[in-house]
Amino acid sequence: MLRFLLYRPVAVLITTFALVVLGLVVFRQIPVSLLPDIAVPEITVQVSYPSATARELQQAVVQTLRNQLQQVSHVADLEATTQDGLALLKLRFDYGTDVHLAYIETNEKIDAALGSLPRDMERPRVLKANAGDIPVFNLNVIQSDYKSDTQNVGISNPDEPQANQLDGDFVQTSEFCENVIRRRIEQLPEVALVDMTGLARLEMVLTPDRAKMQSLGLTEQRLAEILRQNNVDLGNITIKDGFYQYNIRFASALRTRQDVENIYFKTSAQPDARLLQLKDVAKVEQREQKQKGMYTFNGQRAVCLAIIKQSDAQLLQLRTKLNALVQDLRQDYPNLTFSVSQDQTELLEVSINNLLGNLLTGALLTFVMIFFFLNDRKIPLLIGLVIPISLIVTFLGFYLLGLSINIVSLAGLVLGMGEIIDSAIIIVENIEDYRERGHPLDEACAEGAGEVIGPLFTSVLTNSAVFLPLIFLSGIAGALFFDQAVSVSLALGVSLLCSYTLVPVLYRLIYRSQPHYQHRPPTWLARQAERGYNALFEGAFRFKKTFLVGLGLLLLSAIWFFSNIPKQGMPTVSQTELEVSIDWNEPISVEENTRRLSALLTQQTVKPVYVSGFVGQQQFLLNRDMQQNFNEARLSLKVANNQAFEQQKNQLQNMLQSQFPTATVQFGAAKNVFEQLFNTSAPPVQLRVSSQQSQLVLNTEQAQQVRELLLKNNVYTAPIAQQKQLKISILNERLMLYDVSAERLYETLKTIFSENNLGTLKAEQRYVPLVLGGASDRAATLLQNATVLNNKGQAVAISTLIETGFSTDYKMLHSDKEGNFLAFDLTQNSDYQLIERQLEQNGFLVKITGAYFRNQRVIQELGWVLLVAVALLYFILAAQFESLAQPLIVMITIVFGLTGALGLLYAAGSSLNVMSAIGMVVLLGILDNDSILKIDTMNRSRATMGLVTAIKEAGRRRLKSQLMTFLTTILGVMPVLFSGGLGAELQQPLALAIIGGMTVGLFISLTLIPLLYYWQSPK
């Protein structure tokens, strides 16, 4: 076939040119993303039952749902968290589970359980986890002239609020964001949804004049009935008048404050009863609804618009359009401040640009390095041409296979950069060798390329085959690196095809004017390399025993390295956005919550770039992590670098522990796609403690007993979050004694605390709640002064009809497949096995889980992956060499290469993690390249030479290409060590493993392989 192509160079060149042009055309159409599009195998069931406490909700609802959902197929883990009025059940599935089918089955199980749930509770919502649900931007809108006094806000009726109407009213600012800004953003084709929080809402409040009402014999129930009777929307009717037909609309519903104030009613059903207006007995005002939560940006109240992109949208293109839109908004509405935070494209741009830079730098260094070994300037240009052609055609393969350009696939290309030109170097070197031995040009091109294509194909096959066992790696990690395996295999396959077809054709075209080979002296670097090779070869054969003892000690060091090197799941990456979740463990208001956060940030010496504060309940629809209570808060602090991240974290931790010792605080990195997939903020070790005697959760005394036992073992863990509740008990015997209706007392209590919702005012553009409320005061004062009318129209003090008291209970309850538990987070250094024994001796059931154990399982799986890859490699080599002994020589090289990888990882302070272990898997394929070619050359040379001479000559013939292969591989991954960004940081352990393994592997290839071949060959 190659001879056929050699005489048809025009066809080869036109085909190559067409593929390159096609690759350049489709390059701009390939999606660009941070990570591959991986379905998150997780489903969340959200339960809302506002009238239930955490314990009531867990016993009445969560336990029933948990029993049903455990039957869903392929559920690996089920965990439920319950708080007052809200519960979240997370179902995690084995990777590979069809999440769509699991979603349908989860809904079926919930439908089956509905008959056992409270009838007044809405159906639980089922949500699929999706990496696309994470906002790519947060747009923060702040009104510079905002006034804190929001009382007596009037309702305007324009179709759309305009900028000049935003006169300091945060309610109008919120409506403007909702009705104008959100719509303008959602008009962008790349935007799927704009989720919002921090919005202020209006409500209409009627405050009764109790003295007048008592004198007139009116009750809250009577006022409520009057309002409901006058707030009826009668709808439309159609009448026909001859040839005409009309729609008639009855405008009887209440729409403005004046409509409510001017309602007429009679004080009683008597004919002579007085006719009054509602404003005569109650004060009507419009005000902002009672705050259950708030959003602040840099200490100022703001509205947050979380922008979620379409799944197939180009992220960087969305950023360009959004920036242009924000500039227009700033010009159109100068009294509003627009700021973008939590920009996911920063992480994407830095990571992608760094990897692209590494790719180009590696290609350039590889190209320049060739000149130091080859004395003819034409050959480096010929070999260097393989790099851009292979990369461009590889991107065409990306497009055809549906892969995206992401940090994993690009890292695969960076990893394969040094190997892309290996085939070209070896083929050109062999063609040159044939010509040097006197073969004609055409025969040298055909025979020289044909002689090495078998070993080269085996080499590429082994490089690709070592990735195959990664499919046995469970969880997201195994799926994530599918893109890397495909990108490396694709690049190497394309480069081999290019080297075998295009390189010989171009070589023949370049040198057809020189039919006879002109000997060129080796370069200085090539001469020094050959001198060093001769010294190593002679030394290895002269001092065999000493050499073997040294190599034995090197192997023993691998055991020490493996025992002492840190082990983790994913490598630690630098963070620049700190997320702090605070539970004050005190029943404080939203205003006090905001004040505490402001005071903390004022004391900070490390000033963040910006601070987003999520105080209390948030209004997001999709962000399930923001289901907070009013006395909880979350801070997101953007800092300059990873050092500032740690300083900010330590400073906040110290201040919170000293000023608020009872608060529960959790620190972590702000959520992005990487965090959602790998959950790097999960606690290393978590104790899940429950009772042996009861299915109920541990009481507070038992929880304190567990915590004291942990403290005795020098393990500090945060106290379990608790909440203080005001309990009001109605005394039924007093109701009968004073002839008071229980329903009337309940309605009066709701009115006192402004929770008596009477309906909705249907204004032009909004629905405003209508609330029967009372004066704003402390709870104890309100209850002490309040009265209720009995059935005889007499005022009775409410304090005589009720008893009040305080109780303390857990704020959040946890349960999993086994039942209810309390969670205590420990550090990895804790003697958790001793703690487990002590707790079991004290009558507790203990389950130990956490990121540390997940990481250990991943490392164990990677160990098996390495063994499977080695076995697969052995069988491929056995087929190539038709020998069972010679593949063992290659295996020895791999063992020493792994020793070098562990040694450099340890010396560099890195860890044994998924990335470094995958680097070792990749190393298996790289290390065998030269060994395959060298042993193949030794086998062919023995027919014409003596054994030692054949071994030495084979090594000399492959020396130049071997060194170039080694240097191109090292230079290809070297830029990763000196760049930043998520992509580079993820690949650095992988690069260290390859560099360490290749360095030791080169030494072993030059010394031990000749010795082993000598010993196993018949003399």
Side-chain angles (χ1 to χ4, degrees):
M1 175 183 176
L2 186 55
R3 290 184 182 274
F4 175 81
L5 296 176
L6 286 173
Y7 297 106
R8 289 166 178 78
V10 176
V12 173
L13 293 177
I14 290 176
T15 303
T16 304
F17 180 76
L19 290 174
V20 169
V21 171
L22 193 58
L24 291 173
V25 170
V26 302
F27 177 75
R28 296 184 61 85
Q29 302 180 32
I30 301 175
V32 179
S33 58
L34 185 64
L35 291 170
D37 186 16
I38 300 173
V40 181
E42 182 177 296
I43 290 177
T44 300
V45 178
Q46 191 177 81
V47 179
S48 178
Y49 194 20
S51 61
T53 64
R55 282 190 180 271
E56 293 170 346
L57 186 58
Q58 187 180 48
Q59 295 173 9
V61 178
V62 173
Q63 187 171 343
T64 302
L65 288 177
R66 198 178 72 230
N67 293 337
Q68 281 287 337
L69 295 176
Q70 287 181 24
Q71 304 172 40
V72 177
S73 302
H74 306 295
V75 173
D77 190 21
L78 189 156
E79 186 174 343
T81 56
T82 311
Q83 60 189 51
D84 289 351
L86 179 70
L88 294 176
L89 295 92
K90 288 188 177 182
L91 289 80
R92 296 183 181 90
F93 297 87
D94 298 323
Y95 180 77
T97 302
D98 190 328
V99 181
H100 300 291
L101 293 179
Y103 177 80
I104 295 172
E105 188 176 357
T106 301
N107 277 284
E108 291 175 350
K109 297 299 181 184
I110 289 176
D111 291 337
L114 287 179
S116 304
L117 302 181
R119 295 186 178 276
D120 58 337
M121 188 190 81
E122 64 180 25
R123 186 186 184 277
R125 297 173 59 196
V126 182
L127 305 170
K128 285 187 292 187
N130 192 339
D133 291 344
I134 297 179
V136 292
F137 309 95
N138 280 351
L139 181 62
N140 307 284
V141 183
I142 306 169
Q143 186 168 334
S144 55
D145 56 355
Y146 166 68
K147 298 181 295 186
S148 59
D149 184 10
T150 56
Q151 300 295 327
N152 299 315
V153 178
I155 299 179
S156 57
N157 296 323
D159 291 338
E160 191 176 274
Q162 301 299 319
N164 57 10
Q165 293 175 312
L166 303 177
D167 54 358
D169 171 17
F170 200 80
V171 173
Q172 288 191 0
T173 302
S174 300
E175 293 177 350
F176 178 76
C177 292
E178 193 169 15
N179 298 327
V180 179
I181 297 177
R182 182 175 71 173
R183 292 178 183 178
R184 290 186 63 173
I185 295 174
E186 287 182 340
Q187 287 172 356
L188 297 177
E190 293 82 6
V191 175
L193 174 71
V194 176
D195 212 353
M196 302 182 71
T197 194
L199 299 170
R201 307 287 191 187
L202 274 181
E203 67 179 3
M204 186 87 68
V205 181
L206 281 75
T207 306
D209 186 330
R210 296 195 175 278
K212 289 184 179 180
M213 290 184 63
Q214 288 182 10
S215 65
L216 296 171
L218 297 174
T219 63
E220 281 81 1
Q221 289 84 351
R222 173 63 176 153
L223 284 185
E225 182 183 353
I226 293 169
L227 286 167
R228 293 191 183 101
Q229 288 174 351
N230 287 270
N231 193 31
V232 178
D233 191 349
L234 300 179
N236 301 333
I237 63 172
T238 302
I239 64 170
K240 188 175 181 181
D241 182 12
F243 294 103
Y244 300 97
Q245 184 169 305
Y246 302 97
N247 288 327
I248 298 179
R249 178 184 178 186
F250 295 94
S252 60
L254 303 176
R255 299 189 181 276
T256 65
R257 181 179 61 185
Q258 289 75 23
D259 291 344
V260 177
E261 290 177 334
N262 295 330
I263 292 175
Y264 284 94
F265 67 95
K266 284 188 175 184
T267 56
S268 67
Q270 300 299 321
D272 57 345
R274 295 177 59 184
L275 185 64
L276 299 174
Q277 287 183 298
L278 199 62
K279 61 185 177 183
D280 296 329
V281 296
K283 180 182 178 182
V284 182
E285 58 183 349
Q286 294 166 353
R287 67 187 184 194
E288 184 182 333
Q289 291 182 24
K290 184 167 58 177
Q291 295 177 4
K292 296 182 179 179
M294 185 184 296
Y295 174 75
T296 62
F297 185 75
N298 289 336
Q300 294 180 277
R301 190 176 182 186
V303 176
C304 177
L305 295 92
I307 300 168
I308 298 168
K309 77 176 186 73
Q310 296 281 3
S311 59
D312 58 347
Q314 290 279 3
L315 194 54
L316 297 178
Q317 186 177 4
L318 170 58
R319 185 182 66 173
T320 301
K321 291 186 177 181
L322 181 66
N323 288 340
L325 177 59
V326 170
Q327 291 298 327
D328 293 340
L329 292 173
R330 286 169 178 160
Q331 293 178 3
D332 295 342
Y333 311 110
N335 59 332
L336 294 178
T337 301
F338 298 89
S339 301
V340 175
S341 63
Q342 294 182 318
D343 185 353
Q344 300 290 326
T345 62
E346 292 180 357
L347 183 63
L348 170 66
E349 187 174 38
V350 170
S351 301
I352 296 295
N353 287 346
N354 283 344
L355 285 173
L356 285 173
N358 295 339
L359 189 63
L360 296 176
T361 304
L364 181 61
L365 291 174
T366 300
F367 177 67
V368 170
M369 184 274 307
I370 302 173
F371 285 91
F372 291 98
F373 281 93
L374 301 176
N375 213 3
D376 187 344
R377 297 294 178 261
K378 297 176 184 178
I379 292 180
L381 294 174
L382 171 60
I383 295 174
L385 192 63
V386 174
I387 298 175
I389 293 176
S390 298
L391 289 177
I392 293 171
V393 177
T394 297
F395 284 123
L396 176 60
F398 273 34
Y399 178 80
L400 296 176
L401 295 175
L403 298 181
S404 66
I405 296 176
N406 54 68
I407 63 174
V408 177
S409 58
L410 275 182
L413 294 182
V414 173
L415 173 65
M417 174 51 61
E419 298 179 79
I420 282 177
I421 63 171
D422 288 354
S423 300
I425 291 173
I426 293 168
I427 286 177
V428 169
E429 279 284 296
N430 216 47
I431 292 174
E432 289 270 292
D433 187 61
Y434 263 76
R435 292 194 69 200
E436 189 175 359
R437 286 183 281 166
H439 292 270
L441 177 62
D442 291 356
E443 183 181 347
C445 290
E447 296 298 329
E451 183 182 75
V452 294
I453 188 61
L456 284 177
F457 178 77
T458 302
S459 175
V460 172
L461 182 62
T462 54
N463 273 285
S464 302
V466 293
F467 283 100
L468 183 61
L470 290 177
I471 64 174
F472 300 111
L473 191 62
S474 65
I476 297 295
L480 183 65
F481 297 102
F482 173 81
D483 281 35
Q484 189 170 66
V486 173
S487 62
V488 171
S489 302
L490 195 59
L492 295 183
V494 170
S495 69
L496 177 62
L497 183 63
C498 180
S499 300
Y500 182 64
T501 57
L502 182 64
V503 168
V505 170
L506 291 178
Y507 186 94
R508 178 177 177 273
L509 290 176
I510 292 172
Y511 290 101
R512 64 183 174 181
S513 60
Q514 302 175 8
H516 299 291
Y517 181 74
Q518 297 178 359
H519 180 75
R520 294 179 296 273
T523 63
W524 178 86
L525 188 58
R527 290 197 304 271
Q528 299 305 313
E530 187 167 343
R531 186 178 302 172
Y533 166 72
N534 290 330
L536 282 174
F537 186 88
E538 296 295 337
F541 272 78
R542 181 177 302 176
F543 306 104
K544 297 183 182 68
K545 292 183 179 180
T546 305
F547 182 72
L548 290 177
V549 170
L551 292 181
L553 294 175
L554 180 61
L555 279 181
L556 290 176
S557 69
I559 301 174
W560 189 88
F561 287 137
F562 182 80
S563 302
N564 290 276
I565 194 171
K567 301 173 183 65
Q568 60 185 125
M570 293 302 295
T572 303
V573 297
S574 60
Q575 303 289 350
T576 59
E577 192 147 358
L578 175 64
E579 193 169 88
V580 187
S581 299
I582 307 173
D583 186 339
W584 301 105
N585 278 330
E586 297 178 61
I588 61 174
S589 64
V590 172
E591 291 77 14
E592 172 62 14
N593 196 338
T594 307
R595 187 199 66 77
R596 290 186 179 186
L597 292 181
S598 178
L600 281 174
L601 295 173
T602 303
Q603 301 171 43
Q604 286 278 36
T605 58
V606 181
K607 298 302 179 183
V609 178
Y610 62 74
V611 182
S612 298
F614 301 89
V615 183
Q617 296 181 9
Q618 299 300 308
Q619 298 160 324
F620 287 128
L621 296 176
L622 295 181
N623 196 335
R624 298 178 290 277
D625 293 332
M626 286 295 179
Q627 302 292 343
Q628 301 177 154
N629 211 329
F630 58 87
N631 62 344
E632 297 176 12
R634 182 170 301 188
L635 288 175
S636 182
L637 303 96
K638 174 71 173 181
V639 293
N641 49 49
N642 192 61
Q643 182 180 3
F645 180 94
E646 295 298 330
Q647 290 176 350
Q648 193 97 52
K649 175 182 174 180
N650 294 333
Q651 199 170 50
L652 277 172
Q653 192 170 26
N654 293 334
M655 285 193 297
L656 285 165
Q657 285 182 357
S658 61
Q659 299 178 27
F660 305 98
T662 60
T664 303
V665 186
Q666 292 182 338
F667 294 91
K671 286 289 184 184
N672 54 39
V673 178
F674 180 77
E675 289 290 329
Q676 179 170 12
L677 284 175
F678 294 102
N679 193 20
T680 58
S681 300
V685 179
Q686 186 181 76
L687 291 181
R688 296 184 175 181
V689 185
S690 55
S691 173
Q692 292 181 351
Q693 289 78 27
S694 173
Q695 289 296 319
L696 299 178
V697 70
L698 302 181
N699 56 42
T700 54
E701 292 80 10
Q702 291 173 316
Q704 184 60 30
Q705 181 183 352
V706 174
R707 191 158 182 264
E708 289 175 355
L709 189 146
L710 293 175
L711 292 174
K712 288 180 181 178
N713 286 275
N714 298 318
V715 176
Y716 174 80
T717 183
I720 301 296
Q722 299 185 17
Q723 61 183 353
K724 195 175 182 181
Q725 299 172 331
L726 174 64
K727 296 181 64 175
I728 298 178
S729 302
I730 297 176
L731 304 175
N732 292 320
E733 66 278 8
R734 299 281 182 89
L735 294 181
M736 298 178 63
L737 179 64
Y738 291 100
D739 196 19
V740 177
S741 166
E743 180 183 0
R744 183 176 297 176
L745 175 60
Y746 181 63
E747 293 289 333
T748 303
L749 288 171
K750 289 200 299 183
T751 301
I752 290 173
F753 297 110
S754 299
E755 294 291 340
N756 196 352
N757 197 317
L758 304 178
T760 304
L761 269 70
K762 301 177 183 178
E764 292 295 329
Q765 294 291 325
R766 53 194 162 186
Y767 291 86
V768 181
L770 185 59
V771 177
L772 189 62
S776 178
D777 208 337
R778 296 178 65 88
T781 305
L782 291 174
L783 292 174
Q784 187 65 34
N785 298 331
T787 59
V788 61
L789 294 180
N790 63 10
N791 294 328
K792 298 177 182 178
Q794 300 169 335
V796 179
I798 288 181
S799 59
T800 63
L801 305 175
I802 62 174
E803 281 185 352
T804 61
F806 290 95
S807 64
T808 302
D809 201 356
Y810 298 121
K811 178 175 289 185
M812 190 170 291
L813 302 174
H814 300 270
S815 57
D816 58 11
K817 281 186 173 183
E818 285 75 23
N820 304 319
F821 65 87
L822 289 183
F824 297 87
D825 294 343
L826 309 181
T827 62
Q828 183 175 327
N829 298 326
S830 306
D831 190 352
Y832 48 86
Q833 293 179 338
L834 173 63
I835 295 171
E836 180 183 14
R837 289 196 299 270
Q838 292 178 354
L839 287 173
E840 289 177 347
Q841 290 171 3
N842 283 272
F844 298 105
L845 288 176
V846 181
K847 178 182 177 182
I848 304 178
T849 184
Y852 170 74
F853 301 99
R854 290 195 297 271
N855 294 341
Q856 290 294 314
R857 286 195 296 270
V858 171
I859 296 298
Q860 291 173 3
E861 289 178 0
L862 282 168
W864 286 107
V865 165
L866 278 171
L867 291 177
V868 173
V870 168
L872 189 61
L873 191 60
Y874 176 82
F875 291 124
I876 294 175
L877 294 177
Q880 167 67 25
F881 295 135
E882 297 181 354
S883 167
L884 296 177
Q886 289 185 353
L888 295 177
I889 300 176
V890 181
M891 298 295 104
I892 294 295
T893 309
I894 290 174
V895 172
F896 279 99
L898 295 178
T899 302
L902 286 172
L904 187 57
L905 285 168
Y906 180 82
S910 186
S911 63
L912 182 59
N913 51 60
V914 171
M915 296 304 302
S916 57
I918 288 178
M920 294 178 188
V921 173
V922 174
L923 194 61
L924 301 182
I926 297 176
L927 287 175
D928 68 349
N929 289 356
D930 177 69
S931 302
I932 292 172
L933 290 163
K934 184 176 290 187
I935 294 175
D936 182 72
T937 305
M938 290 176 183
N939 290 336
R940 286 186 283 106
S941 300
R942 285 195 60 191
T944 57
M945 302 179 187
L947 179 59
V948 176
T949 305
I951 293 173
K952 185 175 182 179
E953 182 62 18
R956 188 197 62 78
R957 287 181 59 187
R958 295 303 173 201
L959 178 64
K960 195 190 307 182
S961 58
Q962 180 181 5
L963 288 176
M964 284 193 287
T965 300
F966 168 76
L967 289 174
T968 53
T969 303
I970 297 299
L971 292 174
V973 298
M974 189 71 75
V976 173
L977 301 180
F978 303 101
S979 57
L982 178 61
E985 290 180 333
L986 281 177
Q987 302 303 321
Q988 281 167 3
L990 186 148
L992 288 170
I994 290 175
I995 293 172
M998 286 287 289
T999 303
V1000 175
L1002 175 65
F1003 176 76
I1004 296 299
S1005 177
L1006 296 175
T1007 56
L1008 184 60
I1009 282 186
L1011 281 174
L1012 293 176
Y1013 188 89
Y1014 173 79
W1015 283 327
Q1016 68 89 37
S1017 299
K1019 306 300 186 292

